[in-house]
Amino acid sequence: MKTKISVGIIGATAFTGRELITLLNRHSGVKLCWLTSESQKNEDYLTVYPQFNGVLDDNVTQLKGLSAVKNEKPDVVFSCLPHGVSAEFLS
């Protein structure tokens, strides 16, 4: 059985984050484990982007702030924030 790569996305409600989710959802070897949004934290991703209804697992639809997921360790994390903001968060 093939193991899926777990992925976290910082800035999931930004345009780049939304496009990345669209691409990753087409890949059978990827499992989204968390999504963050500082502007929409504690919101349901499906409220922000209803077109993902039936596409995202229930366990990743709740958006969290970055501080809420810093102890969770996916295999890969994508930052979809502007480069200056990403540098601040990731340093």
Side-chain angles (χ1 to χ4, degrees), residues 1 21 29-30 40 42 60:
M1 180 184 241
I21 290 169
V30 171
Q40 304 283 335
N42 301 320
V60 297

Side-chain angles (χ1 to χ4, degrees), residues 60-91:
V60 297
T61 58
Q62 181 71 34
L63 291 165
K64 302 175 184 179
L66 187 58
S67 61
V69 296
K70 67 181 179 182
N71 293 326
E72 296 181 35
K73 303 202 185 312
D75 298 316
V76 177
V77 174
F78 288 95
S79 176
C80 297
L81 303 173
H83 68 277
V85 179
S86 287
E88 184 180 314
F89 271 114
L90 300 175
S91 59

Side-chain angles (χ1 to χ4, degrees), residues 1 3 10 12-13 24 26-30 33 37 39 48 66 70 74 77:
M1 180 184 241
T3 303
I10 300 169
T13 54
L24 292 175
R26 295 179 186 160
H27 197 293
S28 62
V30 171
C33 64
S37 172
S39 64
V48 180
L66 187 58
K70 67 181 179 182
V77 174

Side-chain angles (χ1 to χ4, degrees), residues 15-45:
F15 175 79
T16 306
R18 185 193 66 189
E19 292 301 306
L20 179 61
I21 290 169
T22 299
L23 292 171
L24 292 175
N25 270 322
R26 295 179 186 160
H27 197 293
S28 62
V30 171
K31 179 183 184 321
L32 293 173
C33 64
W34 53 255
L35 307 172
T36 73
S37 172
E38 291 303 302
S39 64
Q40 304 283 335
K41 63 183 158 190
N42 301 320
E43 292 289 327
D44 188 345
Y45 197 81

